[in-house]
Amino acid sequence: MEREHAPLEGVTTLWYRRAHRKWFGGVTRYYTPFISPTKEHVFTKRELREIAPAANAGVPLVPQLLARNAEDFLWAASALADMGYGEVNLNLGCPSGTVCAKGKGAGFLAAPEELDRFLETVFSRCPVAVSIKTRLGTEDPAEFGRLLEIYDQYPVRRLIIHPRVRKDQYRGRPRLAAFRDAAGRSRAPVCYNGDLCTAADAVAFRARFPGVGAVMLGRGLVGDPALARKLAGGPPASRAELEGFTAELYEAYSSGYGSRHSAVPRMKELWSFLICLFRDGGKHAKAIRKAKSPAEYEDRAAAVFRELELAADLRPDWTDMDWKGWSE
Ligand SMILES: Cc1cc2nc3c(=O)[nH]c(=O)nc-3n(C[C@H](O)[C@H](O)[C@H](O)COP(=O)(O)O)c2cc1C
């Protein structure tokens, strides 16, 4: 089964992906957080840094684009093709208010006929393969019937389905009955995404959906960076690896952003997920979140490794899923 690393804006940066690949691996493919091409048809300095082929050498990477205008999408896809990328991913899943208000991300799903015209233009001229990351709709999973009819007209490289609708945001359980239906009908190979947090979740998923050849892991993989490696038969994360990984990433952020001060917010965000690997980490998580200086952050991160017990498969508190208990 393929194991993809989901994009998380603010977390799965260039430096994160590089360090993750080096320390843990097990991931078939990484995606960049979304890049939103503008009418001016220039990448920002930050976007260029994120996608520079030399900086991503050795990391199998698919750049993700968020667009509603086919010409803007095609401009970006061509520029990425010139850099050597063979695939771009279209974001039709982002539920955020500002994105959807512009009719992008999951907001585009509210206009299926316009989406069809967009895809017709994109697929007739795009110089690289296009995969799609989608939700089931905006309000009601029944919207997916028409959306899938549209996707099925085009040679979509991979259809990544996060089986929630836009109004679900990330709440509640993924809508698995709708996913089963969609996966059975899609012409494109399907990749499942949503709430797979532990190796046991993924094993239960595989047993339930043996025909689905790929899973995309997001928060669960950031929270347990060895999750993909474990699914590939490898060992869990050791304390030394986690220490090495976080220390290296902190250094990379410090030099990438020019100061330790700028590195701290990135590390705090990472720790908000990573803390779930440690037993009874609540107080330590709060202390890291409240660190006011690089020195405070460094002390508090060191305290986690010094004081807390590593737990192999703790379920993070952002999910109430119990995959093993689910019947067909
Ligand atoms: C902080 C955060 C940032 C995200 N940024 C992106 C993004 O840039 N592009 C995207 O397609 N999805 C983004 N997502 C959604 C994730 O890729 C993924 O679809 C979602 O977290 C569900 O998968 P999971 O349950 O495995 O985490 C983001 C999610 C979070 C929590």
Side-chain angles (χ1 to χ4, degrees):
M1 188 162 62
E2 292 191 330
R3 299 163 305 276
E4 317 213 311
H5 199 319
L8 271 74
E9 167 66 20
V11 181
T12 63
T13 58
L14 156 73
W15 297 291
Y16 169 93
R17 299 189 302 264
R18 252 180 0 209
H20 184 271
R21 175 98 174 151
K22 174 181 157 188
W23 286 90
F24 300 102
V27 167
T28 315
R29 210 172 281 113
Y30 295 79
Y31 293 75
T32 67
F34 68 73
I35 291 169
S36 207
T38 56
K39 297 246 166 301
E40 290 71 41
H41 293 182
V42 279
F43 288 123
T44 63
K45 247 170 85 180
R46 181 166 168 252
E47 288 166 347
L48 279 173
R49 187 172 62 190
E50 200 43 48
I51 54 181
N56 288 290
V59 178
L61 182 64
V62 177
Q64 185 186 67
L65 299 175
L66 179 83
R68 185 177 185 140
N69 178 296
E71 295 307 323
D72 298 345
F73 183 98
L74 284 165
W75 166 77
S78 301
L80 289 160
D82 290 345
M83 292 180 194
Y85 289 99
E87 178 185 333
V88 294
N89 179 259
L90 171 65
N91 179 323
L92 294 174
C94 181
S96 105
T98 41
V99 164
C100 292
K102 295 182 199 141
K104 296 182 186 175
F108 208 166
L109 303 178
E113 305 320 313
E114 185 187 335
L115 177 60
D116 190 12
R117 288 192 298 277
F118 170 95
L119 293 176
E120 190 181 359
T121 308
V122 161
F123 278 95
S124 65
R125 288 169 39 206
C126 193
V128 290
V130 179
S131 58
I132 291 178
K133 182 162 183 262
T134 185
R135 287 187 178 237
L136 295 173
T138 55
E139 300 285 319
D140 183 335
E143 292 165 38
F144 203 66
R146 175 68 188 129
L147 293 169
L148 192 55
E149 247 173 53
I150 292 170
Y151 299 152
D152 274 351
Q153 298 173 94
Y154 305 103
V156 176
R157 166 68 61 94
R158 189 174 320 102
L159 187 64
I160 303 157
I161 303 177
H162 178 69
R164 288 189 171 98
V165 293
R166 189 219 150 186
K167 76 161 192 232
D168 294 336
Q169 299 280 333
Y170 292 105
R171 288 187 295 268
R173 292 184 171 191
R175 298 168 182 267
L176 291 188
F179 172 75
R180 177 181 294 286
D181 187 42
R185 288 172 43 222
S186 169
R187 271 183 52 202
V190 165
C191 173
Y192 171 85
N193 168 242
D195 297 51
L196 296 174
C197 317
T198 64
D201 289 348
V203 168
F205 174 84
R206 199 157 29 189
R208 231 182 128 165
F209 296 96
V212 175
V215 291
M216 174 183 265
L217 308 162
R219 295 163 294 177
L221 181 49
V222 177
D224 175 1
L227 179 56
R229 183 174 81 185
K230 287 195 284 187
L231 296 180
S238 70
R239 188 176 288 267
E241 281 176 326
L242 289 164
E243 248 182 302
F245 170 65
T246 50
E248 184 171 307
L249 196 49
Y250 181 50
E251 287 306 318
Y253 279 139
S254 299
S255 61
Y257 292 127
S259 74
R260 292 196 182 282
H261 234 91
S262 311
V264 169
R266 289 278 86 87
M267 294 306 294
K268 285 185 179 180
E269 174 104 23
L270 179 67
W271 270 109
S272 72
F273 293 98
L274 215 48
I275 199 69
C276 71
L277 260 188
F278 296 86
R279 207 169 286 289
D280 300 326
K283 275 196 189 127
H284 290 70
K286 192 170 169 197
I288 289 180
R289 204 166 57 238
K290 297 207 164 232
K292 289 201 191 67
S293 66
E296 272 185 18
Y297 161 74
E298 289 159 27
D299 279 355
R300 293 168 188 194
V304 170
F305 291 112
R306 206 172 47 243
E307 293 164 12
L308 295 183
E309 186 193 337
L310 202 55
D313 238 11
L314 280 186
R315 176 163 295 282
D317 58 10
W318 48 261
T319 171
D320 67 348
M321 299 285 291
D322 177 7
W323 289 80
K324 278 178 288 188
W326 287 9
S327 55
E328 280 292 301

